[in-house]
Structures are given as C-alpha cells and as structure tokens.
Amino acid sequence: MSFLTDADIDPRPLAGKRVAILGYGNQGRAQALNLKDSGIDVVVGLRGGSGSTIEAEAAGLETALLDHAVGSADVVMMLAPDEIHAALYREIEPQLRQGAALGFSHGLSVRFGFVEPRADLDVFMVAPKGPGTALRSLYTQGQGMIGLWAVERDATGRARDIALAYGRAIGCGRAGLIASSFAEEAEADLFNEQAVVWGGVPELLIAGFDTLVEGGVSPEVAYLECVGELHLIAELIEARGIAGMREAISNTAELGALLGGRRIVDDAIRQRMREILSEVRAGRFAAELRAEETSAYARLSEARERARSTLIEKTNRKLAQKS
Ligand SMILES: NC(=O)c1ccc[n+]([C@@H]2O[C@H](COP(=O)([O-])OP(=O)(O)OC[C@H]3O[C@@H](n4cnc5c(N)ncnc54)[C@H](OP(=O)(O)O)[C@@H]3O)[C@@H](O)[C@H]2O)c1
C-alpha cells in the first residue's frame, strides 16, 4: 500500500495555479477554505442566484458564476452532489481550459459514466474519508483527515503531481494519502453506504430496539441499550481496533458479543453483502441515484417523512429533552 504524507509530497505543482471549487456545500466549503489557508489561489464557482455566495464571500473567498470560475482555472473540482455531475459537466465543459485538471472527491460519477471528461483533461480524485466539517476543523487544529487519491487520466504528464499537491493543500497529507482508483473508491464507498455503516448499522439498531419493545421493555431502556451505546463502541474501535475494543469491555459484554455476534451476522448476511457488491459493480445503484434525482428525490422525501414518526425517533426526542 502506498501511504504518502506531507514530507513525501511536493506542493509546487499547485503554485501559481488557480483552483475553481464548484459547489459550496459540505466538501466545497471545507476544501475551499483549506486551500485558501494553504496559500492557493481559489475561486468558488456557484450557479446564478446561489444562496451560498454571501456565505462564501463572508468567509473571505472569491466567488464567481460557474462558467467564469471554470474559465479562469487550471484545476476544477466537482464538489456539487454526485447525481448532478452529468448536467454540471455538460454545462461547464465548453469553458474548461485546454489541458486543465478536473478533480473529484468521489469516484462515482466517472466510474459509472455520469461524466466522460474531454480527452485533453487530467482527471484526478482526492477523496477525504469523512465529512467536510471534520476536514475543516482538523485543518484549523493543525491536523488532517486521511484521504484516497487516484489518477483516472494523465493527459499532461502532471496529473499525479497535481493530485498529490491538492491533497496536501486540503490537509489530507498531514494524516496520509492512500493510492486507490476511481473504481475501487466508488465501489467500496457505495458498498459501505448500503451494507455496513450507513445502511446496515442503523437497521440493526432499529431491529434491536423493536425486538426489546415487542418483548415488553420500555422504549427508553430499549433506546439507551441499543442506540445510546453506539458512540462508546465507535470511540473504542477508533482508539484500539476491534480486538482491542473487545478486550476493553467487561467479560460479560465480551462473552455476549462472542456468542451473539456471529448468530446475527451469519453466512446469509455475508451472502447478501456479496450480492450488494455485485449490484454496485454492475451499476444498479448508480442508476437508482440518477432516477432519484429525476423524480425530484421522491423516495428520499417519503422515507425521511416516514422515519420521523417512528417510535424510535419519538423516544430519541423524549430522551434528548430530558438530558
Ligand atoms: N458530504 C461529505 O462529507 C463527502 C465526503 C467525501 C466526499 N464527498 C463528495 O464530495 C462531493 C460533494 O458532496 P457534498 O456532500 O459536499 O455536496 P453538497 O453539500 O450536497 O453540495 C452542495 C453544493 O452543490 C451546489 N449545487 C447543487 N446543485 C447544483 C447545480 N445543479 N448546479 C450547481 N451547483 C449545484 C449547491 O449550490 P447552492 O449553494 O446554490 O445550493 C451547494 O453549493 C460529492 O462528489 C461527494 O460524493 C462528500
């Protein structure tokens, strides 16, 4: 595994270059501010009438309409939501300078063909492994967030150096940059979202809560047991790894985990995980994402509405009021 830090990375490939950050959301804000504080010439590209213009300018950033920002830049970072990358790229392609570098923080839109960059462009990825809020706060504390980097196309012979200098400038080089590819990053990320941290874990918490409540346990106790302890295990795993976490808990909890864990996550679940990975690789999720955008996020809106009225959410709100 190639693991590079600031000491291994030359910052000069970005010197004198202008970077356009398209989008001022979770990642756009953090990356634009980190670049500016690293001494990079940065402009935030926004659509006409964007509510983010005032916020970005108040933070000391230069802003411009998308086409002006793109036309003035040597490096253009696509930091709008993945599902609009196809339309956004179509809009900006005529303004992209010959031989410019086009950057992404997620491999999805290139891996699944939403964007097919022009042949003269360098195409790179720097994907911080965490939210923009943490990327920014770590940077301001003199630390950094680990990230993956990749070059999809090296048209100019400079793509690798630009990608690494970019990763260094947003602070990822302080923690470490791991070489990957657009395909590996996109597939692993989409798999995790569905099967593990963002899809699997919350459903496990809900199933545990529902089982205890059905078994006559009060919603408050069920919530504290099944959901309230999540941050404890996350902190322990981060600090000590999974084996270290198990050694740190009581013998009672450790034996319970040993006897129960594999009964819950059994071979059938591992088989369904493999199915999800195959479906991700075949592009099924990417198609669902585009359909969701086309339907004005109908499924997501309905699911959000439904989730707010469940007993587990009511219990969360009740406990939050008391604490
Ligand atoms: N969220 C994360 O923590 C995270 C972590 C790692 C990688 N990433 C990747 O980073 C990229 C950006 O994700 P994000 O979560 O930061 O996005 P986000 O917060 O949803 O992006 C919002 C920004 O995109 C702009 N935008 C939305 N629709 C647009 C359109 N049609 N035309 C032009 N601009 C538009 C918005 O403009 P307005 O200001 O005008 O509304 C806003 O500035 C994605 O590739 C994502 O996979 C995200």
Side-chain angles (χ1 to χ4, degrees):
M1 179 186 73
S2 154
F3 188 87
L4 301 174
T5 60
D6 278 359
D8 310 305
I9 300 169
D10 183 356
R12 287 173 299 183
L14 275 190
K17 296 264 191 301
R18 186 164 163 84
V19 178
I21 297 289
L22 306 189
Y24 195 69
N26 198 318
Q27 284 295 321
R29 176 182 174 280
Q31 294 190 26
L33 289 171
N34 291 5
L35 288 167
K36 176 171 139 328
D37 290 349
S38 293
I40 307 295
D41 177 17
V42 54
V43 57
V44 177
L46 293 164
R47 53 188 166 177
S50 169
S52 302
T53 307
I54 292 174
E55 200 198 324
E57 289 181 355
L61 290 159
E62 181 185 339
T63 66
L65 289 174
L66 290 166
D67 54 351
H68 285 109
V70 170
S72 73
D74 307 289
V75 178
V76 174
M77 249 350 243
M78 298 277 281
L79 294 180
D82 299 297
E83 66 275 16
I84 65 114
H85 281 192
L88 179 61
Y89 180 75
R90 272 197 304 277
E91 186 183 340
I92 63 159
E93 193 188 61
Q95 278 77 41
L96 279 162
R97 287 181 176 177
Q98 195 73 17
L102 186 66
F104 296 81
S105 280
H106 190 10
L108 189 157
S109 52
V110 170
R111 161 65 179 85
F112 294 105
F114 295 9
V115 176
E116 290 178 17
R118 223 172 50 202
D120 58 286
L121 302 171
D122 286 339
V123 182
F124 74 95
M125 175 183 74
V126 174
K129 283 290 109 186
T133 42
L135 181 73
R136 177 62 183 156
S137 63
L138 284 166
Y139 182 95
T140 58
Q141 293 156 28
Q143 299 170 44
M145 175 181 282
I146 205 160
L148 303 183
W149 73 280
V151 169
E152 178 76 7
R153 185 194 302 128
D154 185 8
T156 67
R158 297 187 298 269
R160 175 187 187 277
D161 294 344
I162 287 175
L164 288 172
Y166 187 93
R168 189 185 203 271
I170 64 168
C172 291
R174 296 172 179 176
L177 278 158
I178 297 173
S180 182
S181 66
F182 276 62
E184 182 182 67
E185 189 275 344
E187 292 165 8
D189 199 63
L190 296 181
F191 169 80
N192 171 47
E193 283 162 4
Q194 291 183 51
V196 191
V197 173
W198 305 102
V201 170
E203 287 302 331
L204 190 65
L205 304 182
I206 294 166
F209 173 87
D210 289 346
T211 304
L212 283 181
V213 172
E214 275 167 29
V217 174
S218 78
E220 290 78 13
V221 171
Y223 192 93
L224 290 171
E225 284 296 340
C226 295
V227 189
E229 293 188 354
L230 189 65
H231 69 286
L232 300 176
I233 190 171
E235 284 165 10
L236 279 170
I237 291 174
E238 190 175 355
R240 297 162 170 259
I242 291 175
M245 171 277 290
R246 288 190 172 135
E247 286 169 25
I249 58 182
S250 68
N251 288 343
T252 314
E254 191 179 0
L255 184 63
L258 184 67
L259 299 181
R262 290 281 181 92
R263 268 182 84 185
I264 298 299
V265 182
D266 59 8
D267 288 345
I269 287 197
R270 285 170 182 265
Q271 182 51 32
R272 287 205 292 280
M273 285 185 167
R274 286 183 206 106
E275 286 164 18
I276 285 180
L277 180 59
S278 298
E279 288 169 13
V280 162
R281 286 182 166 155
R284 191 188 291 186
F285 177 79
E288 297 273 7
L289 183 64
R290 291 191 80 164
E292 192 59 20
E293 195 264 334
T294 309
S295 75
Y297 303 96
R299 256 186 317 188
L300 285 180
S301 304
E302 194 268 328
R304 285 174 195 148
E305 188 66 34
R306 196 164 13 94
R308 279 187 217 114
S309 58
T310 55
L311 179 61
I312 196 166
E313 289 320 304
K314 289 180 188 153
T315 310
N316 171 33
R317 289 195 288 274
K318 209 167 164 187
L319 287 168
Q321 278 165 8
K322 300 227 182 303
S323 61

